[in-house]
Amino acid sequence: MSRDRVPHLVVVGGGFAGLWATRALARERIRITLVDRRNHHLFQPLLYQVATAGLSAPDIAAPLRHILGHQRNVEVRLGEVVAIDKQARQVRMADGSTLDYDSLLLATGATHAYFGHDEWADDAPGLKTLDDAIALRRKLLLAFERAEAEPDPEKKAAWLSFAVVGGGPTGVELAGTLAEIARHTLRNEFRHIDPASAKVRLVEAGPRVLSTFPEVLSLKARRQLEKLGVEVMTGTPVSHIDGQGFKLGDQFVPARTVVWAAGVAASPLARTLDVPLDRAGRVQVQPDLTLPGHPELFVAGDLAALNQANGKPVPGVAPAAKQMGKYVADVIRARLHGKAAPGPFKYADFGNLATIGRMAAIVHLGKLQLSGVLAWWFWLAAHVFFLIGFRNRVVVLLNWAVAYWSYQRSARIIFGDDREDRRPKR
Amino acid sequence: MSRDRVPHLVVVGGGFAGLWATRALARERIRITLVDRRNHHLFQPLLYQVATAGLSAPDIAAPLRHILGHQRNVEVRLGEVVAIDKQARQVRMADGSTLDYDSLLLATGATHAYFGHDEWADDAPGLKTLDDAIALRRKLLLAFERAEAEPDPEKKAAWLSFAVVGGGPTGVELAGTLAEIARHTLRNEFRHIDPASAKVRLVEAGPRVLSTFPEVLSLKARRQLEKLGVEVMTGTPVSHIDGQGFKLGDQFVPARTVVWAAGVAASPLARTLDVPLDRAGRVQVQPDLTLPGHPELFVAGDLAALNQANGKPVPGVAPAAKQMGKYVADVIRARLHGKAAPGPFKYADFGNLATIGRMAAIVHLGKLQLSGVLAWWFWLAAHVFFLIGFRNRVVVLLNWAVAYWSYQRSARIIFGDDREDRRPKR
């Protein structure tokens, strides 16, 4: 059997959608090339823990080569895809090379978006990659250092003022954890500031935080945030951000540290497809996750926009991405075996969880609604369970256990960005 | 009792010497300011494990503020000291501020030195800080990626050629671990290269590796390295390094990855003291670790050069730095209580350990000489024991246990240096 007769699937993106599709095809007679510009799969739901120094970067990432090392029909390629030529069935890479495909799965996910205010990017960094998380950790920890060193009380207060823009799950997690760090983790460590006096504000343009949850749970989340010491400001969009603070309408609020958790936009690769995109830049796919007229071209995960038969859009969450990935594998498998294609993709909603901070979370599973400590244990169990495939699950658990019982955060190490130190001094 | 009557000790550097001195003075009536340009104490003996992806950065570092949080007579200050005015008894910081002191302990350690070949720094990075380690990890892992992507066999071989310059403990550890990664960790993960075919060379200008050990142990170390797959090249100094390889005499050896572990030089702060320095830039101290004519100015750790009464120089190792730190605290304590100063500093040599790789090490304790598996267990036990003060000792142990039994290295995550990705794409 000559190798070129085996059909070639190119998967772009080693996130939940791409990786789950690839793994589901392990036993099929198909050649798979998985392309990613990073060498690791990232467990994004815990990225905020790296940013807030609760976990270290390798705790929530695993090398793609390692995950797929024993799957012989897969080749992992480190590189950046810059364009798709869907007529020629060719993927173009940043280094000028190309990959021909028989089928293509595009799953490059989303990045953060500033809604036409890209000038805010420097002063309000977002959180999508490990590099973002390490940079944010550095920024948060240095703010307390600057406050400690600043003699002027007003400037000191501005360094101790933190704002998180966006009341979705990431914004809520960040604000809650920041309040915990200020109130507990840093206790006793400074001599010229009281870290507990830090202001942590969560700013949401809409009427409530965690708006995908029922209203009563949103309200409970808000109360839990306030109990942790977070000031929740809803109903007014941020109109300006700079290095000194932000504006809500005409009101200027001093805050040297602003974090962006307000918007995501699909990866820009979608634009090279030459197909209609939705407002967030996502590709409008057909019910089988392909493009019209291109049954060989699949889009899945956060890059795909799909309204299901029941009228509900598929949410941009990890379980949906995994399900889409597995669905694409099902369609490809059916084709390989000459069988009928499965019906349209249906998102199986197993519920919605959000963590808020130490022993605080909300859970919505059908009729079950939980909040507080019980919800938090539920959230913890679910997240540790889903770290499957990460051989450091035990380490993560241990780090968490220590962190939660001692209020300590093991990864409070500032590094990066001092390149001049790498040069020898003589 | 007014605050300004309490004498003020400034400690520059939160390494072993500075931290051990500070902790030893916890119960004294003295005000201590510990200045470091990094926020963490680093367990440097395990830095090579971070560079080779066995441990993550926070595993071997702890925030200075956390370590000293409960020691009320200490203030930790994040900042860089640029000069010492020993007449005015004043420390000058990079931000323009100054610190007046009654006593000063300088313990800023060493950095790597290229012996007049600073142009090698970019192509042969060294290993002294966490940033160095993360950059080196990235460089090592990317070399295998480049080899995988390279179609030309000769260029491929150059990417699979690694050289470590310097046969001291760090060079030996790096070379041994690199060979282990190539032969075991990366097995099965690539499709176009056999990582086990990588060449790992250890280049030492002197006649033998680990030259501070007895000759028979050096020889055993060399044999263990060779068994791990390392080619040991002794007796000729490197005469040239660039991005393509290095020269040994006139012979050019292709190697895209060269690591520098050959030389250290004292921190450049010593030069602002206006006192005689030795060849490596270290401060020649008196037997009580002070400067002539300046009993209030102590130098300890890798920054200090001292020949003991027995004629032997104090070695630049962690136990010596800790002992010097404690000795300085003893001298200061005696002065505070108006007691006689302790005798001259004497280094208590409890032995010498070096690890070589998986289950391979050498140990020299007086008449006891060990090598191989037993020595390795000894080394492991000692290093885990000395991680005291690092609350993640259990995590480190666990990571090691998993790494050594599975040949896997949990921290094989490439990050850093792709700043362009942090910007939103729209």
Side-chain angles (χ1 to χ4, degrees):
Chain A
M1 201 188 313
S2 84
R3 189 176 168 92
D4 53 1
R5 292 264 190 95
V6 180
H8 185 211
L9 166 67
V10 172
V11 177
V12 186
F16 287 115
L19 189 54
W20 259 248
T22 301
R23 294 215 278 199
L25 290 169
R27 292 170 180 206
E28 302 301 326
R29 195 174 154 267
I30 189 167
R31 193 161 61 91
I32 307 174
T33 303
L34 175 64
V35 187
D36 200 299
R37 54 180 175 172
R38 299 207 170 74
N39 83 328
H40 52 270
H41 171 71
L42 180 66
F43 192 77
Q44 231 166 15
L46 291 177
L47 197 55
Y48 82 100
Q49 282 283 352
V50 174
T52 55
L55 295 173
S56 70
D59 286 344
I60 62 156
L64 285 166
R65 288 195 188 285
H66 176 59
I67 299 175
L68 296 167
H70 287 275
Q71 188 174 331
R72 298 307 300 182
N73 65 352
V74 180
E75 174 176 338
V76 174
R77 206 188 243 238
L78 185 70
E80 183 159 16
V81 171
V82 289
I84 310 295
D85 183 338
K86 62 185 197 287
Q87 307 311 333
R89 294 192 182 176
Q90 200 173 62
V91 166
R92 225 170 292 146
M93 313 278 296
D95 64 4
S97 64
T98 57
L99 281 170
D100 294 324
Y101 61 79
D102 299 302
S103 309
L104 176 68
L105 168 56
L106 270 190
T108 47
T111 179
H112 31 270
Y114 291 86
F115 310 128
H117 286 283
D118 282 0
E119 73 275 13
W120 296 350
D122 278 329
D123 295 314
L127 186 60
K128 271 287 167 190
T129 68
L130 278 180
D131 282 306
D132 292 341
I134 298 287
L136 192 50
R137 181 198 290 177
R138 181 177 165 83
K139 195 176 167 83
L140 297 174
L141 295 175
L142 279 177
F144 289 97
E145 296 290 341
R146 299 280 177 269
E148 169 86 351
E150 176 61 56
D152 180 82
E154 204 166 305
K155 290 180 184 169
K156 201 186 265 284
W159 278 118
L160 286 175
S161 171
F162 299 83
V164 179
V165 182
T170 301
V172 167
E173 285 162 349
L174 280 172
T177 312
L178 250 173
E180 180 193 327
I181 290 173
R183 294 203 162 188
H184 297 285
T185 309
L186 300 180
R187 184 187 296 202
N188 289 320
E189 297 198 1
F190 292 86
R191 301 292 180 257
H192 304 286
I193 57 167
D194 175 10
S197 72
K199 278 299 259 183
V200 180
R201 294 181 177 91
L202 179 64
V203 185
E204 164 59 43
R208 58 192 176 96
V209 298
L210 298 174
S211 59
T212 60
F213 283 82
E215 211 166 328
V216 57
L217 283 180
S218 272
L219 194 67
K220 285 193 173 160
R222 184 187 180 124
R223 288 215 189 105
Q224 291 180 72
L225 278 167
E226 287 167 350
K227 222 171 120 190
L228 287 166
V230 177
E231 184 179 337
V232 181
M233 308 170 96
T234 49
T236 312
V238 166
S239 56
H240 174 84
I241 300 174
D242 61 32
Q244 304 298 317
F246 63 95
K247 269 190 182 173
L248 229 44
D250 286 339
Q251 184 205 356
F252 179 79
V253 183
R256 295 296 298 248
T257 311
V258 180
V259 185
W260 188 258
V264 293
S267 143
L269 195 60
R271 277 175 274 160
T272 75
L273 282 176
D274 199 22
V275 293
L277 305 178
D278 76 354
R279 260 188 56 213
R282 293 177 302 174
V283 179
Q284 277 160 333
V285 292
Q286 303 194 108
D288 66 350
L289 307 184
T290 64
L291 291 191
H294 285 278
E296 80 288 356
L297 204 166
F298 299 86
V299 181
D302 284 359
L303 192 65
L306 175 65
N307 281 305
Q308 298 172 94
N310 63 10
K312 282 191 184 168
V314 179
V317 296
K322 289 183 196 172
Q323 291 176 27
M324 284 178 162
K326 280 187 201 160
Y327 175 87
V328 169
D330 287 343
V331 174
I332 290 174
R333 190 182 302 108
R335 288 181 192 167
L336 286 172
H337 296 284
K339 291 189 177 156
F345 174 75
K346 257 165 66 185
Y347 170 54
D349 187 351
F350 295 114
N352 210 351
L353 325 178
T355 182
I356 293 158
R358 194 179 166 73
M359 306 277 175
I362 59 174
V363 168
H364 180 216
L365 300 173
K367 291 192 176 167
L368 178 68
Q369 300 193 353
L370 298 175
S371 68
V373 179
L374 195 64
W376 185 81
W377 279 108
F378 193 96
W379 174 88
L380 184 71
H383 278 72
V384 169
F385 178 76
F386 282 116
L387 267 175
I388 279 180
F390 287 76
R391 51 145 288 282
N392 31 19
R393 223 172 353 149
V394 188
V395 176
V396 172
L397 245 191
L398 206 80
N399 261 329
W400 268 352
V402 176
Y404 276 93
W405 270 272
S406 72
Y407 283 100
Q408 273 312 320
R409 304 184 76 76
S410 65
R412 273 192 299 132
I413 305 303
I414 299 176
F415 56 88
D417 271 355
D418 54 353
R419 268 142 221 261
E420 69 283 8
D421 292 342
R422 289 196 208 151
R423 297 282 156 277
K425 289 288 157 36
R426 32 162 51 207
Chain B
M1 197 187 322
S2 81
R3 188 177 170 91
D4 53 359
R5 293 264 191 93
V6 179
H8 186 210
L9 166 67
V10 172
V11 177
V12 185
F16 288 114
L19 189 55
W20 261 248
T22 302
R23 294 213 280 199
L25 291 168
R27 290 168 183 208
E28 302 302 325
R29 195 174 153 267
I30 188 167
R31 192 160 61 91
I32 306 173
T33 304
L34 175 65
V35 186
D36 200 298
R37 56 180 174 171
R38 300 209 170 73
N39 84 326
H40 52 269
H41 171 71
L42 181 65
F43 191 76
Q44 233 167 13
L46 290 179
L47 196 55
Y48 82 100
Q49 281 284 350
V50 174
T52 54
L55 295 173
S56 68
D59 286 345
I60 62 157
L64 286 166
R65 289 196 187 284
H66 175 59
I67 299 174
L68 297 167
H70 288 273
Q71 189 174 331
R72 299 307 298 180
N73 64 352
V74 179
E75 174 176 338
V76 175
R77 205 187 244 237
L78 185 70
E80 184 160 13
V81 171
V82 290
I84 310 294
D85 183 339
K86 62 183 196 290
Q87 306 311 334
R89 295 193 182 176
Q90 199 173 61
V91 166
R92 224 170 293 146
M93 313 278 295
D95 65 3
S97 64
T98 57
L99 281 170
D100 294 324
Y101 62 80
D102 300 303
S103 310
L104 176 69
L105 168 55
L106 270 190
T108 48
T111 179
H112 30 269
Y114 291 86
F115 310 127
H117 286 285
D118 283 2
E119 73 276 14
W120 297 349
D122 278 328
D123 295 314
L127 185 61
K128 269 288 167 191
T129 68
L130 278 180
D131 282 307
D132 292 341
I134 297 287
L136 192 50
R137 181 198 290 178
R138 182 179 164 82
K139 194 176 167 81
L140 297 175
L141 295 175
L142 279 178
F144 289 98
E145 296 289 342
R146 298 280 178 268
E148 169 85 352
E150 176 60 57
D152 180 81
E154 203 166 307
K155 290 180 184 168
K156 202 186 264 286
W159 278 117
L160 286 175
S161 170
F162 298 83
V164 178
V165 182
T170 301
V172 167
E173 285 162 346
L174 279 172
T177 312
L178 249 171
E180 179 193 329
I181 290 174
R183 294 206 162 186
H184 297 287
T185 310
L186 299 180
R187 185 187 296 205
N188 289 321
E189 297 197 0
F190 292 85
R191 301 291 179 256
H192 304 285
I193 57 167
D194 174 11
S197 72
K199 276 301 254 183
V200 179
R201 293 183 177 89
L202 178 65
V203 185
E204 164 59 43
R208 57 190 177 99
V209 299
L210 299 174
S211 59
T212 60
F213 284 83
E215 209 167 330
V216 56
L217 283 180
S218 272
L219 194 67
K220 285 194 172 159
R222 184 187 180 123
R223 288 215 192 109
Q224 290 181 73
L225 278 167
E226 288 167 348
K227 219 171 122 192
L228 287 167
V230 176
E231 184 179 337
V232 181
M233 307 168 98
T234 48
T236 312
V238 167
S239 55
H240 173 83
I241 301 175
D242 61 32
Q244 303 300 317
F246 63 95
K247 270 191 183 172
L248 228 46
D250 286 337
Q251 183 206 0
F252 179 79
V253 183
R256 296 297 299 248
T257 312
V258 179
V259 185
W260 188 259
V264 294
S267 145
L269 195 59
R271 276 174 276 160
T272 74
L273 281 176
D274 200 21
V275 293
L277 306 179
D278 76 354
R279 260 189 56 212
R282 293 178 301 174
V283 180
Q284 277 159 334
V285 292
Q286 303 194 108
D288 66 350
L289 306 185
T290 64
L291 290 191
H294 286 277
E296 79 288 355
L297 204 167
F298 300 86
V299 181
D302 284 357
L303 192 64
L306 175 65
N307 281 307
Q308 300 172 93
N310 62 11
K312 283 193 185 168
V314 179
V317 296
K322 289 182 194 173
Q323 291 176 27
M324 284 178 160
K326 280 187 202 159
Y327 176 86
V328 170
D330 287 343
V331 175
I332 291 175
R333 190 183 302 107
R335 289 182 192 165
L336 287 171
H337 297 283
K339 292 191 177 155
F345 174 75
K346 257 167 60 186
Y347 170 54
D349 187 351
F350 295 116
N352 210 351
L353 323 179
T355 181
I356 293 159
R358 191 181 169 74
M359 307 279 175
I362 58 174
V363 168
H364 180 217
L365 299 174
K367 292 194 177 168
L368 178 69
Q369 300 192 355
L370 298 176
S371 68
V373 178
L374 196 63
W376 185 82
W377 281 107
F378 194 95
W379 175 88
L380 184 71
H383 279 72
V384 169
F385 178 77
F386 283 116
L387 266 175
I388 279 179
F390 286 78
R391 52 146 286 282
N392 31 20
R393 222 171 355 149
V394 189
V395 176
V396 173
L397 246 191
L398 206 81
N399 263 328
W400 269 351
V402 175
Y404 275 94
W405 270 273
S406 71
Y407 282 101
Q408 274 312 318
R409 304 184 77 76
S410 65
R412 274 192 296 134
I413 306 301
I414 300 175
F415 56 87
D417 272 356
D418 54 352
R419 269 139 220 260
E420 68 286 6
D421 293 341
R422 290 197 206 150
R423 298 282 155 273
K425 289 288 158 35
R426 31 165 48 212

